[in-house]
């Protein structure tokens, strides 16, 4: 991650210009103080990343998805993005379905799925776009919207003509090359452009050679790289690549890999792509066509061996996978090839967003740790990051709370499952305590259901939080309903598998943090106890009406996670910020009602219990500033209970 | 330093405006990310500081100086500012000498002395200004200049009319009140204004009562507080204060204290101020008038007992001392009163400047650690601090190197003394090594003279550097000529007497740093050794021509001093910055010639030895990034010597 090369340069003349030579484009754009560049990835264009990985001899992969048909399927696809994103794809791409209103704001449109991948999942993303049968204005509109949403890469395609009879329109978009030219004309060098290559020649081309010439036209019109149609033999691709090079195509050419996952999907794809399946493959598949598992195993074997041949040729640096929106086969192939990142290094403790304007974002309030997509959503209108650390009165406000069922914030669990986890019928505040406790312990509730998510956290407990499990269980049982916490860390290596983040060779630190809902009775006792701790413990205590009790100096943020790295400034990516806490408070209280109370009938006792908690409990956060000592927050809580007894 | 008060506020509506309520004026002015406010002092106006200290029940003091006659005296006065500044005066003031071209750029002018106090010594400063016999334009010009230089406080005085016969000018500046009105008219609320009060009445006033009315006019015209003429009995002041209050003067009134320091100075002051010395004082002094020490002792006794009476009255919170530019008596009085800060807490590891535009400055390159005045001088044209961390290509450049003999950078030692320390005659590079070694050890050189300063450091070795003394001695002896260093620190309390800084309850950290000149032969060996240390040690190696060898990632600053404090963001006040290192390099090399070589005749062997070092040596800096481990830089140097043998 760090440039280890010793370089000699004439200092006096070139120092200033060198200063902005790499990774510091941001500092040229803005007057704010420069952000330590932790991850070159965040500052490079896709084509630059590709080049850098190739130069470094790294092998990489990318993943293709299509937009889902339903909102529920979209929720699942986004979870898949998160899971498959953890394997470290160089990019993903989202196909363009002209029939599905692909440029609209529908949660299932190509545009919105790509937007979600970039902004909410932090994935470098290529949006496909087809041009045939569309007006120039439509296409420009789509491209402008893509740019506005932070998309930076377009796969320029012709698309399938609608209807049998298709005639070229004069001055229209008849071929992909027209779209490439249009993008370059209208958007200059803003987008990285990808085009499709056909290792067997496009089925409609006059000849293989003619198709190669078309490809060359697309590249010379401004395409940056090529992804190929699927193929069944490595020789097919390698020959194609040599033929491309022979006619002067020098940009990267990425083989499209299709792991066979089932008999029917193969048949359908073959029909669409007009490819012929080699006889030796048909011979294996036909006899096992009703055995999905067997076909998938075979498909994985086949893909692994073909990919190995490609990589071993020395001509291939990246592999593009047609996933068909499925996870298992592709992940299996990647793991067997050894290019799935088993231990993805985190550049920061939270998942970064890939929107260009967020590439300098290096600090966030801790409150949204379990709801990063909500944080991104509520700050999407901000022009600048990190936005004056929130304390600046000229900072833009957080976005309003609405769209609780915004599709990428929607729980993966349906209502019935939530009721099983959180209780079909609540009998009192204690039954709520019980839900929190079961979530912490991982033990089933009294009806035998495990509580795997909470309104404030759609995933099981984080590994790091597991370190605090025993104490958390104890306090939740007694009505300190924890929704966020972190242990103190006094200088662990940045490569630590649980708490590490950032480049290697560094040290990470944390102040202990605890955030919970609790009753006013407990809050009164807690405040008495906190007096004893003076400045050691900073607290913010707020109820739904906004009554706010704090001992924080002014309204400054308190850094609770930071890292020290070789040759860099300090990175402090997580803070407890009093100003944003008040925005978080609204969200945290609202989740009681929106996600939990509304599961029950109006006026039902269960609903009234949740409503009571919402109306009367306080949201409390505590920071132990003395990070080198043993975390005192448990003592604070113990003292509070003792005072109450 | 931290607001410990628990405060309850209605959160949702007032949070944003609260955010800027105290100490964060800067964040309103600029779009850069807000700086953690370490020291409320840096953000408050003088009258606010006064109010805050009074509300907190703190006693404080201030010091009055007059501009010196010669440039040499100015150098000494500035050293006195630094020494007396360490005692923690709330402010100092500099008198206005109409006969001495007080608004000019001369190094002895009132304006430039006040400028130096504010900008280079970091002292809150009041500039006196008199108005009689001056045109409106002259006065406005002086005030504009004062504002431009960062002065924020004016003591508005009439001044003594020139000549015996003085007549009021119509529409002219006849009284201090005219100046107060003019300042408020032309500069609105920019300046804090102080006016003079006369506990015995002004000698020219019709009566004591009439003089009180004049004072009230001055206050009602816009003065913020009053400093009184000297007096000899506490009753005089306390009566005066009550009389002021009785006629409605409510602003702070600060008693002017004159510790009697000698017979002649007392006589002269009495003559000028037309005051009468009480008989009981005359009775003591006359018999000992030729015994300076006895008079001073008496003066100290007298001042201490009068100050105690004033403070004990409960009406007095601050004491203003007429120092007559002397140190001993005033310091003695202050120490005996217990208001001299014996252990001044450092808000940052370096001395802050008091210019308003620098009040958000919270980071500096380590290179100027021993030459902070040079750093301030070379960055005085910058509009914004911390100026994009220097790596930003749009940042303003460092000021040119010139004015090596700029009076506040001039050595306190004359040429003859420097020759004694650094050698009347050098016999080779080794005799230079010897000078460096003697500076480190504090032992006398072979001619019996202690080396108490070096061209890069006008003061003896810092306490902190003493921690490294043994190793430093060893390496200097062998030609690693160290000019700057710091040990690694892994989380010492911020109250540590040697390495601590910032508010209490925090922890401070450092990466080990070593900076030295050395021969190209040693550099070649060093580079081989450094390969072994890879990223653990960052290095910059440069010669006078600007050949630059480094393994630093991009051109990012490396934070080498940082602090973690309760309820705040991380403070990282010292960095090793590759861009500013190249500006420092020019200065560091030039000091060989300007301060050392030029002590000798041209063409003399001594001069040629220094010239040879200047032309051929390299300036090296090393940072050990692994601050929790034992400092490896000594091992690096040892390995280098071993390789050479």
């Amino acid at each position: 991650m760090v440039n280890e090369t010793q370089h000699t340069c004439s200092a006096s003349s070139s120092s200033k210009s060198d200063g902005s030579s790499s990774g510091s484009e941001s500092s040229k754009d803005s007057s704010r103080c420069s952000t330590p560049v932790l991850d070159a990835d965040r500052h490079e264009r896709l084509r630059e990343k590709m080049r850098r990985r190739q130069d470094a001899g790294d092998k990489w992969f990318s993943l293709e998805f299509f937009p889902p048909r339903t909102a529920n399927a979209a929720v699942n696809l986004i979870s898949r993005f998160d899971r498959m994103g953890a394997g470290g794809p160089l990019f993903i791409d989202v196909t363009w379905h002209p029939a599905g209103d692909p440029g609209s704001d529908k949660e299932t449109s190509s545009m919105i799925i790509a937007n979600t991948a970039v902004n909410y999942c932090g994935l470098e993303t290529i949006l496909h776009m087809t041009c045939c049968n569309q007006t120039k204005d439509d296409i420009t509109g789509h491209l402008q919207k893509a740019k506005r949403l932070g998309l930076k890469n377009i796969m320029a395609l012709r698309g399938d003509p609608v209807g049998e009879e298709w005639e070229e329109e004069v001055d229209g978009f008849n071929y992909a090359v027209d779209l490439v030219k249009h993008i370059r004309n209208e958007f200059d060098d803003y987008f990285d452009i990808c085009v499709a290559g056909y290792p067997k020649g496009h089925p409609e081309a006059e000849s293989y050679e003619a198709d190669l010439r078309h490809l060359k036209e697309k590249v010379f019109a401004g395409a940056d790289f090529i992804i190929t149609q699927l193929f069944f033999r490595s020789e097919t691709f390698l020959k194609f690549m040599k033929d491309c090079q022979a006619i002067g195509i020098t940009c990267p050419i990425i083989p499209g890999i299709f792991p066979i996952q089932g008999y029917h999907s193969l048949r359908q794809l073959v029909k669409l792509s007009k490819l012929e399946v080699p006889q030796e493959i048909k011979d294996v598949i036909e006899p096992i066509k009703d055995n999905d598992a067997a076909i998938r195993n075979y498909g994985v074997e086949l893909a692994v061996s073909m990919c190995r041949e490609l990589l071993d040729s020395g001509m291939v640096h990246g592999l593009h996978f047609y996933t068909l929106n499925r996870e298992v086969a592709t992940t299996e192939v990647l793991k067997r090839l050894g290019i799935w990142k088993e231990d993805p290094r985190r550049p920061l403790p939270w998942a970064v967003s890939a929107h260009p304007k967020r590439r300098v974002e290096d600090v966030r309030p801790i409150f949204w740790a379990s709801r990063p997509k909500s944080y991104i959503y509520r700050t999407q209108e901000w022009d600048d990051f990190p936005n004056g650390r929130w304390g600046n009165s000229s900072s833009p406000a957080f976005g309003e709370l609405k769209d609780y069922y915004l599709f990428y914030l929607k729980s993966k669990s349906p209502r019935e499952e939530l009721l099983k986890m959180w209780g079909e019928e609540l009998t009192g505040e204690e039954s709520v305590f019980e839900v929190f406790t079961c979530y912490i312990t991982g033990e089933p509730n009294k009806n035998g259901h495990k509580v795997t998510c909470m309104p404030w956290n759609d995933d099981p407990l984080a590994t790091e939080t597991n370190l605090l499990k025993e104490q958390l269980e104890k306090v939740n049982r007694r009505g300190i309903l924890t929704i966020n916490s972190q242990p103190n860390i006094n200088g662990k290596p940045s490569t630590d598998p649980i708490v590490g983040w950032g480049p290697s060779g560094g040290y990470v630190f944390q102040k202990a943090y605890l955030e919970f809902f609790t009753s006013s009775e407990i809050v009164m006792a807690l405040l008495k106890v906190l007096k004893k701790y003076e400045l050691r413990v900073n607290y913010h205590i707020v109820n739904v009406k906004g009554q706010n009790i704090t001992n924080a100096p002014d309204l400054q943020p308190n850094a609770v996670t930071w890292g020290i790295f070789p040759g860099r400034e300090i990175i402090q990516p997580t803070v407890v910020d009093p100003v944003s806490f008040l925005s978080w408070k609204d969200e945290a209280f609202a989740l009681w009602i929106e996600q939990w109370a509304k599961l029950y009938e109006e006026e039902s006792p269960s609903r009234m219990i949740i409503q009571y908690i919402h109306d009367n409990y306080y949201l409390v956060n505590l920071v132990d500033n003395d990070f080198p000592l043993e975390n005192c927050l448990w003592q604070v809580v113990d003292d509070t209970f003792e005072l109450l007894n």
Side-chain angles (χ1 to χ4, degrees), chain A:
Chain A
M1 195 152 282
V2 167
N3 172 16
E4 298 185 36
T5 331
Q6 195 182 92
H7 51 91
T8 305
C9 60
S10 175
S12 44
S13 62
S14 65
S15 64
K16 278 285 177 185
S17 53
D18 276 358
S20 56
S21 64
S22 74
S24 61
E25 204 181 328
S26 63
S27 59
K28 279 187 289 183
D29 303 338
S30 103
S31 67
R32 56 178 287 279
C33 62
S34 66
T35 306
V37 181
L38 255 185
D39 185 356
D41 264 9
R42 291 176 77 187
H43 293 258
E44 284 174 334
R45 306 178 65 125
L46 178 51
R47 65 193 186 208
E48 292 164 352
K49 290 184 195 180
M50 225 175 256
R51 180 67 59 192
R52 186 168 52 84
R53 296 286 287 265
Q54 177 170 337
D55 291 349
D58 282 353
K59 305 303 180 198
W60 53 264
F61 69 94
S62 52
L63 303 170
E64 182 162 315
F65 299 93
F66 55 81
R69 297 235 175 94
T70 66
N72 270 342
V75 171
N76 289 327
L77 182 59
I78 291 156
S79 299
R80 186 163 299 124
F81 286 172
D82 285 337
R83 286 191 301 271
M84 295 189 83
L90 186 65
F91 63 87
I92 70 154
D93 59 333
V94 177
T95 60
W96 185 260
H97 284 209
D101 205 357
S104 75
D105 287 335
K106 284 200 300 199
E107 52 213 23
T108 54
S109 79
S110 301
M111 186 73 80
I112 293 303
I113 293 295
N115 163 58
T116 305
V118 167
N119 289 297
Y120 293 91
C121 305
L123 297 168
E124 180 80 55
T125 301
I126 302 178
L127 176 63
H128 289 219
M129 208 171 272
T130 63
C131 62
C132 104
N133 290 322
Q134 291 196 75
T135 68
K136 202 172 196 167
D137 284 353
D138 282 347
I139 289 173
T140 303
H142 291 323
L143 289 164
Q144 279 166 340
K145 182 169 183 175
K147 184 176 173 182
R148 207 166 55 237
L149 293 175
L151 297 170
K152 295 167 294 182
N153 315 291
I154 299 290
M155 173 112 177
L157 299 165
R158 186 189 72 178
D160 295 317
V162 179
E164 288 298 302
E165 298 296 312
W166 174 66
E167 287 188 23
E168 292 192 17
E169 291 174 53
V170 181
D171 290 336
F173 289 93
N174 297 307
Y175 297 102
V177 66
D178 300 324
L179 180 53
V180 174
K181 285 177 184 164
H182 178 72
I183 297 174
R184 284 288 172 250
N185 278 339
E186 299 287 316
F187 295 85
D188 201 12
D189 202 34
Y190 175 79
F191 289 105
D192 277 17
I193 301 175
C194 174
V195 291
Y198 298 87
K200 288 279 198 184
H202 191 279
E204 289 167 23
E206 311 97 84
S207 69
Y208 177 75
E209 288 71 27
D211 194 51
L212 278 183
R213 283 194 303 274
H214 290 317
L215 182 58
K216 185 174 173 179
E217 275 174 42
K218 293 195 281 190
V219 172
F220 278 61
D224 296 296
F225 51 93
I226 297 163
I227 294 178
T228 77
Q229 178 59 287
L230 66 94
F231 51 88
F232 294 100
R233 293 190 183 113
S234 60
E235 308 88 75
T236 310
F237 176 81
L238 296 173
K239 173 181 180 302
F240 171 71
M241 200 162 172
K242 278 176 203 145
D243 293 337
C244 286
Q245 288 169 345
I247 64 160
I249 296 173
T250 56
C251 71
I253 304 175
I254 305 146
I257 310 296
F258 174 71
I260 297 171
Q261 307 197 43
Y263 186 74
H264 294 287
S265 62
L266 176 64
R267 267 177 64 119
Q268 200 188 355
L269 203 85
V270 163
K271 192 178 141 201
L272 279 172
S273 61
K274 297 179 180 142
L275 287 174
E276 200 160 323
V277 179
Q279 194 56 48
E280 70 268 23
I281 296 181
K282 283 187 192 158
D283 289 347
V284 178
I285 284 188
E286 285 295 340
I288 55 171
K289 66 180 178 183
D290 296 322
N291 184 342
D292 283 354
I295 290 189
R296 202 171 57 213
N297 284 343
Y298 171 68
V300 167
E301 285 299 335
L302 204 66
V304 168
S305 79
M306 190 172 76
C307 289
R308 286 225 172 96
E309 286 163 22
L310 291 170
L311 296 173
D312 290 348
S313 74
M315 297 172 71
V316 171
H317 305 279
L319 301 166
H320 184 72
F321 284 84
Y322 294 103
T323 67
L324 303 185
N325 285 15
R326 295 193 203 152
E327 222 167 319
V328 181
T330 301
T331 308
E332 174 76 12
V333 173
L334 288 166
K335 286 184 175 170
R336 289 189 40 194
L337 290 170
I339 56 179
W340 178 269
K341 279 205 291 179
E342 281 297 333
D343 173 28
R345 300 302 324 283
R346 299 187 295 169
L348 287 170
W350 32 265
V352 300
S353 168
H355 194 293
K357 76 177 176 182
R358 296 187 92 114
R359 68 185 166 192
V360 295
E361 185 179 18
D362 62 355
V363 52
R364 287 189 189 167
I366 195 170
F367 317 119
W368 282 269
S370 301
R371 291 176 62 80
K373 291 184 175 71
S374 169
Y375 182 74
I376 291 167
Y377 177 71
R378 295 188 67 186
T379 59
Q380 64 185 341
E381 299 300 331
W382 293 6
D383 289 328
D384 191 27
F385 292 85
N387 183 30
R389 300 277 197 278
W390 313 283
N392 188 322
S393 57
S394 65
S395 297
F398 282 84
E400 281 306 303
L401 269 177
K402 52 181 178 184
D403 299 325
Y404 290 100
Y405 286 97
L406 199 67
F407 75 102
Y408 34 70
L409 287 178
K410 208 170 164 179
S411 176
K412 283 163 282 183
S413 314
R415 178 172 179 273
E416 309 74 57
E417 242 175 83
L418 295 177
L419 280 169
K420 281 183 191 155
M421 290 195 265
W422 302 344
E424 305 274 356
E425 212 183 314
L426 301 174
T427 53
E429 290 169 62
E430 281 72 20
S431 45
V432 173
F433 302 176
E434 183 63 22
V435 175
F436 276 84
T437 309
C438 289
Y439 174 70
I440 297 292
T441 59
E443 301 292 320
N445 63 20
K446 59 174 188 248
N447 296 318
H449 297 285
K450 287 201 178 186
V451 181
T452 57
C453 68
M454 291 296 283
W456 305 270
N457 199 336
D458 206 32
D459 291 305
L461 216 57
T463 328
E464 189 194 17
T465 316
N466 261 312
L467 301 173
L468 310 172
K469 210 162 173 172
E470 205 175 308
Q471 285 105 331
L472 286 171
E473 178 187 348
K474 203 170 71 179
V475 305
N476 276 282
R477 233 177 250 298
R478 301 185 65 177
I480 299 259
L481 307 177
T482 59
I483 59 168
N484 196 355
S485 59
Q486 69 174 22
N488 59 320
I489 305 284
N490 186 14
K492 287 228 181 179
S494 58
T495 47
D496 184 279
I498 296 176
V499 298
W501 52 274
S504 58
Y507 293 91
V508 298
F509 294 78
Q510 291 179 179
K511 291 180 179 175
Y513 179 76
L514 192 61
E515 183 181 338
F516 53 86
F517 290 101
T518 201
S519 67
S520 59
E521 188 196 0
I522 291 180
V523 162
M524 292 311 121
L526 177 65
L527 278 171
K528 280 189 197 129
V529 169
L530 283 169
K531 280 200 200 308
K532 266 196 345 201
Y533 290 84
E534 287 188 349
L535 290 180
R536 175 159 178 186
V537 177
N538 277 121
Y539 56 87
H540 293 89
I541 300 176
V542 66
N543 66 6
V544 73
K545 297 178 208 79
Q547 266 197 307
N548 187 25
I549 311 165
T550 178
N551 70 340
D554 310 321
L555 283 181
Q556 293 187 57
N558 188 354
V560 293
T561 301
W562 63 99
I564 317 295
F565 301 96
R568 299 180 184 271
E569 291 192 69
I570 316 296
I571 321 284
Q572 45 175 341
T574 317
V575 297
V576 168
D577 166 57
V579 175
S580 62
F581 182 59
L582 298 176
S583 292
W584 164 246
K585 174 267 295 182
D586 293 336
E587 183 169 333
F589 275 103
L591 287 166
W592 281 106
I593 305 298
E594 297 297 326
Q595 301 242 351
W596 199 336
K598 287 191 176 169
L599 294 177
Y600 308 108
E601 296 293 314
E602 278 191 53
E603 310 284 329
S604 67
S606 296
R607 185 151 178 172
M608 285 165 69
I609 287 164
I610 300 296
Q611 184 74 48
Y612 175 84
I613 290 177
H614 170 270
D615 294 347
N616 294 283
Y617 274 36
Y618 282 80
L619 180 61
V620 177
N621 77 50
L622 304 176
V623 176
D624 177 3
N625 286 300
D626 237 336
F627 62 95
L629 310 183
E630 202 190 340
N631 177 357
C632 74
L633 300 182
W634 305 117
Q635 192 59 50
V636 169
V637 175
D638 283 351
D639 291 357
T640 304
F641 286 129
E642 199 168 303
L643 189 65
L644 279 169
N645 285 349

